[in-house]
Amino acid sequence: MTAALTDVRAIALDPCARPPLRPLPESVAMLLAELDAPPRLAAHLRAVHDVAARVVAWLEGRDGTRPPFDPDAVRFGAATHDIGKVLHRAELSGPGDRHEEDGPALLVAHGVEPELARFAGTHARWDAPGVGFEDLLVALADKVWKNKRVADLEDRVVVALAECGGRERWEEFLALDEVLSRLGDGADGRLAYQAAHPL
């Protein structure tokens, strides 16, 4: 294994052309290094962060209104959503939800505001009462990065878009489906990228 594939800061920040992935925020890269995060976790977070950034860019480029949301919060949430797997490393390659319980507290303990740390839990509990549009977008990115489509989750996004934008739900569904299908086409490259990094 080359040093570039095991250095967490390099995984988080270095240019990545295959597949083309945006770098993680510098603050997240520093946190991953400080926590001695597994390389595969850094690769996963980068892939999900990139998908979330693409969804955000699509929303920002749409004509008409959209639900109010904080694009930076969505990108940060995607970049840190599985941070709890630093504490529960077996969940990198197997089932488990302990990372969802412990992730927000881990982020808060490292100086992240609770409002941003919440995504480490809500990415898996997107159907809980009180979950907002930003949380839905992080959860959506966490599914679509590997081309997994979750109808109930997508329906919630469609409803939020229709209620705010004045378009019919079917119109919003078609628009969302188009962007998610495009993003799903890149899943094989993202999955191979993640798998190339050790646990």
Side-chain angles (χ1 to χ4, degrees), residues 46-124:
R46 186 165 181 176
V48 176
H49 169 263
D50 183 75
V51 170
R54 292 175 191 273
V55 171
V56 163
W58 170 72
L59 284 168
E60 291 180 322
R62 285 169 38 104
D63 293 331
T65 58
R66 61 180 181 268
F69 76 102
D70 181 344
D72 291 332
V74 173
R75 289 185 289 259
F76 183 85
T80 59
H81 73 283
D82 271 350
I83 198 74
K85 290 184 179 182
V86 166
L87 302 174
H88 304 288
R89 293 182 183 226
E91 294 181 14
L92 277 167
S93 59
D97 57 10
R98 291 170 50 201
H99 73 279
E100 299 156 12
E101 298 299 323
D102 294 338
L106 177 63
L107 287 171
V108 170
H110 284 83
V112 175
E113 294 293 324
E115 185 65 18
L116 289 175
R118 76 181 196 269
F119 297 107
T122 61
H123 75 277

Side-chain angles (χ1 to χ4, degrees), residues 22-187:
R22 291 163 178 79
L24 288 172
E26 176 71 33
S27 62
V28 174
M30 290 174 56
L31 178 61
L32 292 172
E34 180 182 332
L35 293 172
D36 193 26
R40 186 163 299 172
L41 177 59
H44 171 68
L45 293 175
R46 186 165 181 176
V48 176
H49 169 263
D50 183 75
V51 170
R54 292 175 191 273
V55 171
V56 163
W58 170 72
L59 284 168
E60 291 180 322
R62 285 169 38 104
D63 293 331
T65 58
R66 61 180 181 268
F69 76 102
D70 181 344
D72 291 332
V74 173
R75 289 185 289 259
F76 183 85
T80 59
H81 73 283
D82 271 350
I83 198 74
K85 290 184 179 182
V86 166
L87 302 174
H88 304 288
R89 293 182 183 226
E91 294 181 14
L92 277 167
S93 59
D97 57 10
R98 291 170 50 201
H99 73 279
E100 299 156 12
E101 298 299 323
D102 294 338
L106 177 63
L107 287 171
V108 170
H110 284 83
V112 175
E113 294 293 324
E115 185 65 18
L116 289 175
R118 76 181 196 269
F119 297 107
T122 61
H123 75 277
R125 294 189 295 274
W126 49 265
D127 55 351
V131 169
F133 188 63
E134 293 157 342
D135 306 270
L136 295 177
L137 296 178
V138 171
L140 190 65
D142 190 36
K143 302 299 183 193
V144 175
W145 82 275
K146 59 185 175 183
N147 202 21
K148 182 174 183 182
R149 303 290 297 268
V150 180
D152 289 346
L153 173 58
E154 293 175 24
D155 287 347
R156 287 174 186 252
V157 174
V158 165
V159 167
L161 291 171
E163 286 177 352
C164 192
R167 295 185 180 103
E168 296 293 330
R169 287 187 185 180
W170 67 266
E171 292 176 288
E172 295 293 6
F173 169 80
L174 290 176
L176 182 65
D177 181 65
E178 180 181 352
V179 72
L180 297 184
S181 295
R182 249 190 345 261
L183 288 168
D185 289 343

